[in-house]
Amino acid sequence: MHMSDALLSTPVALAGAGLAAVLIGVAGNKIKKNDDSSLVPLMGVMGAFVFAAQMVNFSIPGTGSSGHIVGGVLLAALLGPWAGFLTLASVLIIQCLIFSDGGLMALGWNIINMGAMTTLIAYPLIYKPIARASTKPWRLAAASVAACVAGLELGAVMVTVETWLSGITALPFLGFLGLMSAIHLVIGLGEGIATSAVLVFVAKSRPDLLVPASAAGHSGKKGLRKAVIWFAVAALVVAGGLSFLASSDPDGLEWSIGRLTGGMELETAGNAIAEGAENIRQTTALMPDYESSFSGVVGAVMVVALVWAVCSVITSRRKKVTVKDEQA
């Protein structure tokens, strides 16, 4: 569901960038207030795991399309909604700048469509009421499937509306909406099953991780260290091995565009801002289109580094403020 710049007008793209920046700022403030630095390593490896998992596109039988998990519901269930949002935003930033996955102008809306719709809306409004504080497999499965489907459907609708508001493509609103909603319903079901499998495993081995740190705190640094190691190993296994099994079929967004236009790509609108954004992305893209066999591992490591850097800045500011208050 990574949008390209070709779908968005400059005003719509700038509005998305502004809104995403505000949400990232709020997320950072929430994490700073909670002051749980022990959660940072888990955020990093979970981000790496989601990055790696997003590389594994699964084929959707009978459609010629493929899908991949977004990971927002999984992140929110283990980290809390705001930490999950910031982690997923970091994944999307690395994907855009280093691997040319999604447009730079479209980055703000990609963060909102995939990050905010899953972690900040689907998780608190759908997952939590169904799962509650239970670790029963059927509750976790029902909550995961319902929340993942809702999150991806909301994202699909948002993509359609943003494209329509931009008015720079010939994509018919109702036709685009119908295709996007239909294909992402199936993708959401697949993600829901995968998410529930991970959460059921966590519930059996480390049930305390299902309680967000912002609400009750994770129990014990030693146990948390084990969880970090588990997800780090899982990220490396998926990035270094399973990603090679990914389907080459177009994803849901590309498939929907192809069904309407006969092609998978749209030309980027020729204006100075769009061209400048594309030049920046081409400059930063060290491994465009994941062309290197090491893309998964490199990307996972870079996500960890970015999450760690951002959270280090946030927590260091918190410590400086605390020291000043104590001295006063």
Side-chain angles (χ1 to χ4, degrees):
M1 203 190 295
H2 295 73
M3 297 179 73
S4 69
D5 292 341
L7 293 173
L8 298 175
S9 65
T10 300
V12 172
L14 292 177
L19 180 54
V22 169
L23 291 175
I24 289 173
V26 173
N29 190 53
K30 294 280 189 181
I31 292 171
K32 181 173 68 174
K33 285 184 177 180
N34 291 332
D35 193 26
D36 190 355
S37 57
S38 65
L39 191 62
V40 175
L42 185 60
M43 290 174 62
V45 296
M46 284 299 302
F49 177 74
V50 167
F51 174 89
Q54 284 195 15
M55 293 183 65
V56 185
N57 285 48
F58 55 87
S59 295
I60 302 174
T63 65
S65 177
S66 68
H68 63 72
I69 76 163
V70 171
V73 173
L74 176 63
L75 291 173
L78 296 176
L79 303 172
W82 288 105
F85 171 76
L86 188 61
T87 302
L88 188 50
S90 300
V91 171
L92 295 169
I93 290 169
I94 293 297
Q95 289 174 332
C96 174
L97 294 179
I98 306 302
F99 301 97
S100 292
D101 195 357
L104 182 56
M105 277 180 54
L107 179 58
W109 283 119
N110 283 333
I111 289 173
I112 294 166
N113 298 342
M114 289 185 275
M117 293 301 108
T118 55
T119 63
L120 304 181
I121 294 181
Y123 171 75
L125 298 182
I126 297 176
Y127 179 91
K128 284 187 70 176
I130 297 175
R132 299 179 183 176
S134 175
T135 57
K136 293 180 179 179
W138 73 267
R139 275 195 177 277
L140 295 176
S144 297
V145 171
C148 288
V149 167
L152 264 68
E153 287 293 270
L154 285 170
V157 171
M158 291 289 288
V159 168
T160 308
V161 171
E162 292 148 16
T163 303
W164 172 69
L165 288 174
S166 295
I168 63 173
T169 72
L171 296 173
F173 177 75
L174 291 179
F176 193 30
L177 177 63
L179 289 171
M180 285 288 288
S181 298
I183 199 68
H184 283 94
L185 171 62
V186 182
I187 295 172
L189 289 170
E191 174 166 4
I193 293 171
T195 299
S196 65
V198 174
L199 293 180
V200 168
F201 173 78
V202 172
K204 291 181 178 179
S205 56
R206 283 295 309 279
D208 58 298
L209 290 180
L210 294 177
V211 181
S214 57
H218 292 300
S219 63
K221 289 187 177 180
K222 184 177 180 180
L224 188 59
R225 191 180 301 119
K226 290 182 179 179
V228 169
I229 294 172
W230 289 347
F231 279 109
V233 171
L236 290 175
V237 169
V238 175
L242 294 182
S243 60
F244 291 104
L245 303 177
S247 170
S248 59
D249 291 334
D251 67 16
L253 175 56
E254 295 170 335
W255 176 84
S256 298
I257 293 173
R259 291 291 294 267
L260 293 171
T261 66
M264 300 299 174
E265 299 289 341
L266 296 172
E267 292 185 4
T268 303
N271 62 67
I273 295 178
E275 291 175 359
E278 182 58 25
N279 289 335
I280 292 172
R281 194 182 69 154
Q282 289 180 1
T283 301
T284 61
L286 301 177
M287 298 179 177
D289 299 320
Y290 307 98
E291 61 184 15
S292 170
S293 57
F294 298 102
S295 293
V297 175
V298 171
V301 172
M302 295 187 79
V303 168
V304 172
L306 180 58
V307 170
W308 207 299
V310 170
C311 290
S312 294
V313 171
I314 292 171
T315 54
S316 66
R317 287 181 179 178
R318 168 79 180 187
K319 291 176 181 176
K320 288 180 181 179
V321 172
T322 304
V323 170
K324 288 182 179 180
D325 290 342
E326 290 177 350
Q327 291 176 346

